[in-house]
Amino acid sequence: MPSSGDVLVLVLLVLHVTFAAVWFANRLGLPSDMRDAIRAMEGPEHGLAQRIRRSVRLDGVGAAGVFVTGGLLVYRRGFGDVDLTVWVGAAVAVGLVVMSFLVTRPARRTLRAALSGG
């Protein structure tokens, strides 16, 4: 029977992968979701803008979940026992978040202003 430490690491690993899947799948589904909203065009505030807000929230939850579970896994395993590939992956994830703030935030503001203006 596995020890409680092994079970905790397994649960954290499953949660980490699940949050990563949500984080990346959200980004993959957004363009088709936006196309559907534009075609339906329920109104700027209720259509596309609402879908973008929901996607941003889901993106934040996914990223936070990845970082929290990743941090807990590193803490649980020990900083010295973590492979270089994990640190590279963490650096890439941080870079992704930084790029998201630098690139998509201004674009979202512009799109929201255009939708509000009709």
Side-chain angles (χ1 to χ4, degrees), residues 53-69:
R53 277 191 210 101
R54 184 183 64 215
S55 176
V56 168
R57 283 192 304 267
L58 188 58
D59 196 38
V61 168
V66 166
F67 285 112
V68 168
T69 56

Side-chain angles (χ1 to χ4, degrees), residues 39 43 53 62 65 75 82:
R39 285 190 191 119
R53 277 191 210 101
Y75 177 75
V82 176

Side-chain angles (χ1 to χ4, degrees), residues 1-34:
M1 181 163 183
S3 69
S4 63
D6 294 339
V7 172
L8 179 61
V9 168
L10 180 64
V11 168
L12 285 172
L13 191 58
V14 168
L15 284 172
H16 184 69
V17 170
T18 302
F19 277 118
V22 167
W23 190 20
F24 291 120
N26 177 50
R27 292 177 183 272
L28 293 174
L30 186 58
S32 65
D33 197 27
M34 290 174 69

